[in-house]
Amino acid sequence: MKILITGGTGMIGQRLAELLLDGGHDVALLTREPQKSSHFRLFGWDPQAGTIDPAAVPYADAIVNLAGSSVAEGKWTAERKHEIIRSRLDGLELLYRELAKPGHHVKTLLSASAIGVYGDRGDEILYEDSPIAAPGDDFLADVVVQWEAAARRIGELGPRVVLPRIGIVLSPEGGALVPIAKTVRYGAGAPLGSGRQYMSWIHVDDLCRLLVQMLEGPLWQGEYNAVAPHPATNKELTETLAQVMHRPLLLPKVPAFGLKLAMGEMSEIVLGSQRVSADKVLSQGFTYEYPQLLAALASFYE
């Protein structure tokens, strides 16, 4: 297939693009910097301005949409929140406009989503059809609801739409693991808040293999929890990381009120609990290379 990736220069996009190439697919990236050098074909777009290379969408058999600015960078001011939402919706609105035109052969849209849609749910096991957070209760949940709705709208034009609700992606190249590993390495690692909050994680290689299966298999449709089968608590994650890195955990837990003071509303990223089920992905026949946390972390740090 010819696959067009938005957000293809990010941690997940780069790994996915390499896997797709290895699988014999052609890959092109939609980027705001098409003049950059790359071994992939580049098409230019600017979702904020509503502009896109007219040859981009007609190139593709399938589109993978990973565009969206990181929720973990910068304080959640009103301006930053607006930017987080628009960075997800503008691109999908632009793709909708292009896909509504004749002259393309796009059959599939794989559009990233997130387990943040469920909100903070304690020990409750969460499935794709579990109720989502009530509007206004949780900023991240509100973002994901709008994000998924914009992608589903593209399904009205005909393409098969797959929405992987991605958990915490484990990779030494970026994402949540990097700052946690840094604190453990320097002897400053400690569980956050109660430490009992669930962190539903997935190894970056498993995530990208899953996304490839979703692209290649016509039976994948709608929402899927893109997480490993064994969620860990924050305490388990920190302790397993310390074990793999051969570092002691010397400090007491970091109190929740301190995190709330330091991070404001953004503290819900690390204090919220989502115990997310991978049953639906398993029932579609996907096999995880790293179903267990210890092996996943050992693949990076041992």
Side-chain angles (χ1 to χ4, degrees), residues 236-270:
E236 286 165 351
L237 181 88
T238 312
E239 287 173 350
T240 308
L241 194 51
Q243 178 188 337
V244 167
M245 297 178 84
H246 309 292
R247 292 286 191 277
L249 287 179
L250 306 171
L251 299 181
K253 291 173 183 158
V254 180
F257 74 84
L259 288 165
K260 286 175 182 167
L261 274 177
M263 298 173 73
E265 194 183 348
M266 207 167 107
S267 63
E268 69 188 46
I269 295 176
V270 292

Side-chain angles (χ1 to χ4, degrees), residues 12 64-67 88 92 110-118 132 140-141 143-149 151-152 161-169 207 211 214 222-227:
I12 298 167
V64 178
N65 174 51
L66 301 172
R88 283 158 175 74
L92 284 165
L110 180 61
S111 191
S113 177
I115 60 170
V117 74
Y118 302 112
I132 55 178
L140 287 182
V143 170
V144 183
V145 167
Q146 293 178 64
W147 199 13
E148 288 190 355
R152 281 193 201 96
V161 174
V162 193
L163 299 167
R165 289 175 171 168
I166 300 171
I168 294 162
V169 182
L207 173 62
L211 298 180
M214 289 173 164
E223 307 82 25
Y224 293 90
N225 292 330
V227 294

Side-chain angles (χ1 to χ4, degrees), residues 70-248:
S70 168
V71 296
E73 283 169 21
K75 274 267 179 80
W76 283 357
T77 59
E79 189 182 343
R80 178 74 188 121
K81 283 178 163 183
H82 180 74
E83 188 186 325
I84 287 168
I85 291 175
R86 292 317 316 171
S87 70
R88 283 158 175 74
L89 302 189
D90 290 347
L92 284 165
E93 285 165 10
L94 184 48
L95 289 174
Y96 180 90
R97 190 189 81 194
E98 293 301 296
L99 288 163
K101 297 173 182 175
H104 70 79
H105 45 92
V106 174
K107 298 280 191 294
T108 303
L109 170 70
L110 180 61
S111 191
S113 177
I115 60 170
V117 74
Y118 302 112
D120 180 6
R121 302 287 274 274
D123 290 348
E124 182 187 350
I125 299 175
L126 300 164
Y127 301 93
E128 286 79 358
D129 57 358
S130 294
I132 55 178
D137 277 1
D138 184 302
F139 170 64
L140 287 182
D142 291 347
V143 170
V144 183
V145 167
Q146 293 178 64
W147 199 13
E148 288 190 355
R152 281 193 201 96
R153 185 167 164 249
I154 289 173
E156 295 165 14
L157 300 172
R160 171 176 68 101
V161 174
V162 193
L163 299 167
R165 289 175 171 168
I166 300 171
I168 294 162
V169 182
L170 299 185
S171 165
E173 306 292 319
L177 187 58
V178 173
I180 302 172
K182 194 184 248 182
T183 59
V184 169
R185 180 175 287 122
Y186 294 117
L192 304 176
S194 70
R196 292 194 300 271
Q197 67 274 32
Y198 276 91
M199 302 177 75
S200 292
W201 58 274
I202 187 168
H203 190 291
V204 65
D205 287 357
D206 275 338
L207 173 62
C208 292
R209 286 174 50 249
L210 176 59
L211 298 180
V212 170
Q213 281 203 20
M214 289 173 164
L215 281 169
E216 293 177 343
L219 297 179
W220 294 85
Q221 187 136 9
E223 307 82 25
Y224 293 90
N225 292 330
V227 294
H230 304 288
T233 63
N234 178 267
K235 184 172 184 280
E236 286 165 351
L237 181 88
T238 312
E239 287 173 350
T240 308
L241 194 51
Q243 178 188 337
V244 167
M245 297 178 84
H246 309 292
R247 292 286 191 277

